[in-house]
Amino acid sequence: MQNLRNLTLLALPFLLAACGGSKPAGAGASNEEKKLNLYCWAEYIPQGVIDDFTKETGIQVSVENYASNEEMIGKLLAGGGKYDLIQPSEYAVEALIQDQQLQPLNQGALTNLGNLAPEFRNMPFDAGNKFSVPFMAGFVGIVVNTDKIKTPIKSFNDVFVPAHKNRIVILDDSREITSWALGEAGLGINDVTPENLAKIRPMLQKWLPLVKVYDSDSPKTALQNGDVDIGVVWSGEGAILYNDNKKFQFVLPHSGAHLFVDNMAIPKTAQHPQNAHLFINYLLRPEVGKKVADEFPYYSPNRAARSLLSPEQLANPASYPPAQEVSRMQTFKDLGPQAAAVDALVTEIKAGGK
Amino acid sequence: MVAEAARGWMRPDGPTWVRWLGGGWTVLVFAFLYLPIVLLVVFSFNETKSGFRWEGFTLKWYEALFQNRVLLQAFGNTLMIGAASTLLATVLGTLGAWMLYRYRFSIHRTLEAFIFVPMIMPEILMGVSLLVLFVILNFQLGYLTVIIAHVTFTFPFVLVGMQARLQGMDPFLEEAAMDLGATPWQAFTKVILPYLMPAIASGALLAFSLSLDDYIVTVFVTGAESQTLPLKVYGMVRVGLNPQLNALSALGIILTIVLVLASERLKQPAKGM
Amino acid sequence: MGGAAFSDTAASHPASATAGWKAWLLLAPLLIWLGVFVALPTALLILTSFSKRDALGRVIYDFTLENYLNSFNPTWLTIFGNSIFYAFLATVICVVVGYPAAYTIGRASPRVRHLLLTLVMIPFWTSFLIRTYAWISILSEQGLANSLLLASRIFTDPLPMMYTPFSIVLGLVYNYLPFMILPIYTSVEKLDNSLIEAAYDLGAGPMRAFSRVIIPLTKPGIAAGALLVFVPAIAMYAITTLMGGGSNPTIGEVIQNQFTKARNQPFGAALGVLLMLLFLVSFLILSRRKNVAHAA
């Protein structure tokens, strides 16, 4: 049925393109049409949560997904889509604020903001939640298959040793990889300068030839299948592995893991900003936050939602490590044009071969 | 005796052992092509979600699939976009190949170079430049833009296959038809088109397969309502392979095979398969 | 160029007429499509490759040669060599594996031909990712192949097959095989029986008939297949990342990263333009040499 309707729609896009004029934003919630265009990470907001929101408010939510912040920024800036709500990570929020791409949030409409843990109300990239509200957070840590690796693993330096050659999976993410090396070199994870990159180059040249698999999407696959024994992965992946089998232990590296935060934000070109506020406030509800945390075992910034989780969920060392560990973590700052240098460095060392 | 053997050798298909060898090899190739397919069908009935151990038979992934409105809609979108773009690409590719073969145009070489471009342009560059183009042209991102993009990267494949077929064609086939009183249009539809049919069929199959599975170009030119299956699959795989996807693929494959076999049977009602 | 680049004979009809207005009219769909959806985006791409970018990765249309100057770097050459190596290997294996199958299908009775051809394509109507994960389940250390090997006691330790050059080549061949089989099938299907019979009549054995008659007659199909496999395989990166573990970056991956990671669209565009130029020039040379050889 849906598809028949779609077929008829096919004939119209030209007309639609012509009359899809923008509506003035701002005024009362009542005069906004019941629509919300959501542009978010794939598989992050459970479908059930979206359906319940539609049931409750009558607002139809159409969802489009992206797989990286850069892809989202690219499409947003190109102006092709009309998005009301996006889900940028911390450094992307910083970059978008700097470029004045985001609308200031109407704090009065976000009555559930108080459910967030205090530290998430004051993140360095957007203090006071002026433009963004944390949705989910997580870390990058080390997963060890303790059946295979018996030596204690405490830091990235313990991962990248010749004994683990060809038994390592790491995230295929140049920024991440360089930040680990910066941490081990005693530098700040955000101190990305040409000099510091030159400093960590020898370390990376030692590390990367030991790696068997680079995978940012599903690094747990190689661990699960026994093709590798140790990995540097997202905490959510670590949590799934730990739930699957306790032999997969999750370790936060001593040199300092970093915290990533995915947020909800409203682009300045949004046509339904009030609906977007309604949705953000809805996501901040404890029971909704719990549903999200049930489905995706990352770190919930929502303290009220966390209190609804089972003891088992809270005991997963990858999802909820000790609070003092989390408070020590730093977030990524936007690198701007330096991102290209970081990517070139890692690509070059990878291509240098084994 | 010798003459007898020689006659066997003279068969256009070659001697028996050659045909057996070819047949055996083809069976192996099919086994290679279908091995992962058989596995994914098996996994679609597997109890466990993670890993590849067999942990018991279940239909729960199929149940979950039929309740997954978003996934089913993406599946429908994919088929619709695949069908529309295949149709357009096949017409465009066939007509284009024929015109370039039959007539001399002053810009012949330029045209052939541009036909080549979508095949050699890395997908992401095509996706991004088409996105910029659509924004300039003020096209709303959606079904139309996805179909246009798919036609653009599939029709050269149809055209190139067609050119290979045309190269061996008897150049006087068309002339002979016209000598027998056919109009150019009749000559084309009654003689040339049937001759081109195998290339049209294989070109359409290629175009359809390419369209069904495209991720990179589509992700840049799609809107929210025209989400295709590969986009959803990519997202779902990020959080671990969901057996619902195996179930969907298994259903798709089995349905296709049944349809293909049924249509073959319909063509030969008397002889059967 | 196009498929015709590889042809021994000119691609056009011997009696091809100079186009009149009707011919131009029939050509219009192709012309419009090429003009609007191919030439314009290509122009945009070339423009981008000479542009700058801002901190957010936005393209600033301000002329610079920087992107091209950065392209000539030994790293990218190594990566490019990698890409060519795998694409070439995949093409050769696809011909060897695919030709006998395409030949058998093309010589089958007309009734089963189409059926078999469709059966070749059907596996590719499932998602690439799902197929690839099925292969991972076969090749992993705890996968099907290793379970069988260990059970048969031929090996005592699992054989590392995943994330090796072997798995990359297997992935490439699997995914590009139909692109080889289809065009070869098309040219086998039109083989003239009388020519092969004549070869046998003249005393040729099956080997000679094959190498002297069948192969030359089906060469356009092989050439088209090689084109359809080699060209996409060069810019491909999903297979090397998923099946190979991503430790050998390919040119496609580098270009992709300029957009999804480095926010350096102009540089990605420059690499893309260079890649396309390389293709165009090599095919131009190929087709010219063929034409010269033919004339001589």
Side-chain angles (χ1 to χ4, degrees):
Chain A
M1 213 42 207
Q2 186 68 35
N3 286 327
L4 272 177
R5 204 167 58 90
N6 291 342
L7 273 170
T8 49
L9 274 178
L10 181 63
L12 296 173
F14 277 109
L15 292 171
L16 289 178
C19 23
S22 60
K23 294 209 166 132
S30 51
N31 56 15
E32 217 170 63
E33 59 176 335
K34 298 263 181 199
K35 277 188 184 162
L36 179 68
N37 297 320
L38 186 59
Y39 191 31
C40 59
W41 291 92
E43 299 295 310
Y44 216 178
I45 305 177
Q47 190 58 40
V49 166
I50 294 174
D51 290 344
D52 289 349
F53 176 74
T54 302
K55 234 177 267 166
E56 188 179 307
T57 59
I59 295 170
Q60 292 296 323
V61 184
S62 53
V63 184
E64 205 178 315
N65 298 131
Y66 53 86
S68 80
N69 282 299
E70 277 61 33
E71 184 187 320
M72 179 268 292
I73 292 173
K75 208 165 167 183
L76 182 74
L77 295 185
K82 308 254 185 302
Y83 306 116
D84 300 317
L85 197 52
I86 54 174
Q87 213 174 18
S89 305
E90 68 291 330
Y91 71 91
V93 169
E94 182 193 334
L96 289 168
I97 292 175
Q98 222 155 48
D99 205 75
Q100 302 183 331
Q101 293 293 331
L102 300 180
Q103 289 191 12
L105 296 177
N106 177 1
Q107 305 274 335
L110 302 176
T111 51
N112 295 332
L113 262 183
N115 291 337
L116 287 176
E119 64 270 26
F120 286 98
R121 309 254 352 233
N122 238 329
M123 299 305 289
F125 54 87
D126 180 24
N129 305 107
K130 289 194 186 70
F131 294 93
S132 67
V133 174
F135 171 74
M136 271 304 236
F139 337 98
V140 168
I142 302 163
V143 168
V144 186
N145 180 344
T146 50
D147 280 358
K148 293 284 173 67
I149 290 181
K150 306 292 185 190
T151 50
I153 305 292
K154 291 204 169 67
S155 65
F156 294 118
N157 270 331
D158 297 337
V159 175
F160 300 101
V161 294
H164 300 156
K165 186 173 167 68
N166 277 336
R167 305 305 298 174
I168 305 173
V169 55
I170 64 172
L171 298 171
D172 192 7
D173 187 315
S174 313
R175 174 84 196 266
E176 287 290 345
I177 295 171
T178 41
S179 81
W180 310 332
L182 286 168
E184 289 290 350
L187 301 159
I189 56 172
N190 287 310
D191 297 337
V192 179
T193 60
E195 301 80 58
N196 287 347
L197 288 182
K199 243 180 244 172
I200 60 166
R201 172 187 282 266
M203 195 187 290
L204 291 177
Q205 276 167 334
K206 251 184 251 156
W207 285 8
L208 299 189
L210 303 171
V211 173
K212 182 153 193 190
V213 184
Y214 297 84
D215 188 349
S216 296
D217 292 335
S218 185
K220 65 179 174 300
T221 308
L223 282 156
Q224 255 165 351
N225 296 339
D227 288 308
V228 296
D229 302 323
I230 189 166
V232 184
V233 305
W234 312 117
S235 57
E237 295 267 307
I240 294 172
L241 284 168
Y242 180 82
N243 281 338
D244 203 32
N245 193 328
K246 300 284 176 285
K247 74 179 177 190
F248 292 117
Q249 287 294 329
F250 188 79
V251 181
L252 285 170
H254 265 198
S255 48
H258 86 273
L259 176 75
F260 62 82
V261 188
D262 294 322
N263 309 273
M264 308 300 304
I266 306 177
K268 70 166 186 218
T269 50
Q271 292 174 0
H272 311 101
Q274 281 139 15
N275 294 346
H277 277 91
L278 282 177
F279 192 70
I280 295 175
N281 205 36
Y282 172 80
L283 287 178
L284 284 169
R285 287 184 196 171
E287 68 278 10
V288 176
K290 178 187 183 301
K291 274 185 203 155
V292 175
D294 283 346
E295 199 122 342
F296 305 106
Y298 283 96
Y299 186 73
S300 175
N302 192 322
R303 198 166 50 173
R306 245 186 270 160
S307 66
L308 300 176
L309 297 180
S310 71
E312 201 194 350
Q313 280 173 305
L314 294 169
N316 190 319
S319 302
Y320 296 98
Q324 73 270 20
E325 293 257 23
V326 179
S327 61
R328 280 199 302 133
M329 293 179 189
Q330 288 178 289
T331 53
F332 276 167
K333 287 196 179 113
D334 186 50
L335 290 185
Q338 280 288 348
V342 168
D343 190 63
L345 173 70
V346 172
T347 310
E348 190 192 320
I349 296 174
K350 267 197 214 171
K354 296 185 178 185
Chain B
M1 207 46 191
V2 175
E4 201 71 354
R7 197 155 297 136
W9 285 80
M10 273 192 281
R11 287 182 54 105
D13 293 350
T16 319
W17 66 267
V18 170
R19 277 180 290 137
W20 272 101
L21 209 63
W25 186 264
T26 309
V27 169
L28 286 180
V29 167
F30 273 105
F32 174 60
L33 291 178
Y34 278 85
L35 177 63
I37 305 301
V38 170
L39 269 176
L40 75 86
V41 174
V42 171
F43 288 139
S44 73
F45 296 109
N46 193 359
E47 183 72 35
T48 179
K49 182 167 181 167
S50 58
F52 306 122
R53 300 172 301 273
W54 177 258
E55 285 182 7
F57 181 88
T58 180
L59 284 174
K60 68 180 174 192
W61 307 118
Y62 287 86
E63 275 170 46
L65 170 68
F66 288 122
Q67 281 156 16
N68 196 332
R69 182 168 45 81
V70 177
L71 201 59
L72 291 178
Q73 198 192 332
F75 184 57
N77 281 344
T78 305
L79 289 184
M80 200 272 282
I81 289 166
S85 55
T86 302
L87 186 70
L88 281 170
T90 310
V91 171
L92 197 62
T94 309
L95 186 65
W98 172 250
M99 295 309 291
L100 290 177
Y101 169 76
R102 186 65 187 79
Y103 297 96
R104 278 194 305 272
F105 294 97
S106 40
I107 49 170
H108 215 105
R109 287 189 81 81
T110 322
L111 284 182
E112 292 213 314
F114 273 111
I115 288 162
F116 204 34
V117 164
M119 297 177 70
I120 58 174
M121 191 187 283
E123 277 188 294
I124 188 148
L125 299 180
M126 182 182 292
V128 173
S129 14
L130 279 174
L131 170 64
V132 174
L133 178 76
F134 291 143
V135 172
I136 293 173
L137 295 178
N138 202 17
F139 283 15
Q140 183 171 311
L141 299 183
Y143 291 101
L144 183 77
T145 51
V146 175
I147 290 172
I148 289 176
H150 283 208
V151 172
T152 305
F153 70 76
T154 54
F155 89 87
F157 287 87
V158 179
L159 204 148
V160 166
M162 203 68 64
Q163 284 183 325
R165 176 92 181 166
L166 280 168
Q167 271 167 47
M169 194 176 95
D170 184 344
F172 303 106
L173 204 59
E174 191 192 16
E175 227 166 90
M178 303 222 294
D179 284 348
L180 293 172
T183 64
W185 177 248
Q186 281 172 332
F188 182 73
T189 54
K190 296 275 165 64
V191 179
I192 307 297
L193 220 49
Y195 173 79
L196 291 179
M197 217 48 203
I200 293 176
S202 71
L205 281 173
L206 258 186
F208 189 61
S209 314
L210 287 168
S211 164
L212 280 193
D213 211 16
D214 181 73
Y215 173 77
I216 299 172
V217 176
T218 312
V219 84
F220 282 98
V221 298
T222 186
E225 89 275 9
S226 52
Q227 294 285 304
T228 61
L229 197 59
L231 304 190
K232 289 289 162 201
V233 170
Y234 187 82
M236 288 174 82
V237 167
R238 284 166 67 87
V239 289
L241 190 64
N242 191 322
Q244 281 180 43
L245 296 174
N246 286 337
L248 184 61
S249 318
L251 276 183
I253 287 264
I254 291 165
L255 206 72
T256 319
I257 294 179
V258 168
L259 280 178
V260 168
L261 292 182
S263 72
E264 286 296 315
R265 198 169 270 273
L266 280 179
K267 269 190 246 162
Q268 279 94 27
K271 290 181 217 156
M273 279 309 295
Chain C
M1 259 156 283
F6 285 102
S7 61
D8 281 338
T9 52
S12 63
H13 194 286
S16 65
T18 304
W21 67 271
K22 273 187 187 163
W24 281 100
L25 200 67
L26 280 170
L27 193 70
L30 184 71
L31 273 182
I32 292 170
W33 206 280
L34 285 176
V36 179
F37 300 119
V38 178
L40 275 182
T42 310
L44 282 168
L45 182 68
I46 294 171
L47 188 66
T48 307
S49 72
F50 287 106
S51 301
K52 294 177 181 161
R53 58 179 174 127
D54 67 7
L56 215 50
R58 218 179 333 232
V59 178
I60 298 167
Y61 296 102
D62 186 5
F63 182 84
T64 174
L65 280 174
E66 197 196 327
N67 305 307
Y68 284 95
L69 296 177
N70 288 343
S71 305
F72 297 100
N73 168 322
T75 308
W76 311 136
L77 284 180
T78 317
I79 291 173
F80 194 61
N82 257 335
S83 313
I84 291 185
F85 172 73
Y86 281 118
F88 181 74
L89 205 60
T91 309
V92 171
I93 297 179
C94 278
V95 175
V96 174
V97 173
Y99 194 96
Y103 187 82
T104 309
I105 296 172
R107 306 299 290 173
S109 76
R111 209 156 58 84
V112 281
R113 249 179 239 168
H114 277 97
L115 182 67
L116 289 177
L117 193 66
T118 315
L119 286 178
V120 167
M121 288 317 295
I122 285 178
F124 299 88
W125 294 359
T126 56
S127 160
F128 163 78
L129 273 174
I130 297 172
R131 263 181 279 137
T132 304
Y133 273 83
W135 271 115
I136 294 176
S137 78
I138 295 170
L139 300 178
S140 284
E141 292 204 1
Q142 291 166 11
L144 185 70
N146 267 314
S147 312
L148 293 177
L149 285 179
L150 292 181
S152 71
R153 291 167 196 268
I154 301 173
F155 292 92
T156 45
D157 284 319
L159 203 62
M161 284 184 277
M162 237 354 254
Y163 312 114
T164 59
F166 167 75
S167 57
I168 295 179
V169 172
L170 190 142
L172 286 169
V173 171
Y174 184 80
N175 280 288
Y176 290 115
L177 195 54
F179 291 69
M180 184 63 78
I181 292 182
L182 254 55
I184 295 181
Y185 158 84
T186 331
S187 54
V188 166
E189 202 262 356
K190 72 179 181 201
L191 270 182
D192 191 346
N193 279 346
S194 56
L195 283 175
I196 306 171
E197 272 162 19
Y200 288 131
D201 284 348
L202 294 173
M207 284 304 184
R208 273 177 77 86
F210 184 68
S211 62
R212 294 293 176 81
V213 179
I214 299 174
I215 288 276
L217 283 175
T218 50
K219 222 158 110 187
I222 301 174
L227 185 76
L228 296 189
V229 172
F230 187 76
V231 169
I234 286 245
M236 167 289 320
Y237 69 94
I239 298 167
T240 43
T241 9
L242 285 169
M243 300 278 288
S247 43
N248 288 312
T250 59
I251 193 77
E253 189 182 343
V254 172
I255 293 175
Q256 175 93 1
N257 285 354
Q258 302 313 314
F259 293 83
T260 56
K261 288 175 185 163
R263 284 190 216 161
N264 200 352
Q265 197 172 328
F267 182 56
L271 286 177
V273 169
L274 287 175
L275 182 68
M276 288 163 66
L277 267 180
L278 197 88
F279 276 126
L280 283 174
V281 168
S282 50
F283 287 128
L284 210 70
I285 293 170
L286 261 177
S287 67
R288 177 149 314 160
R289 193 187 282 165
K290 284 259 168 77
N291 289 344
V292 169
H294 220 71

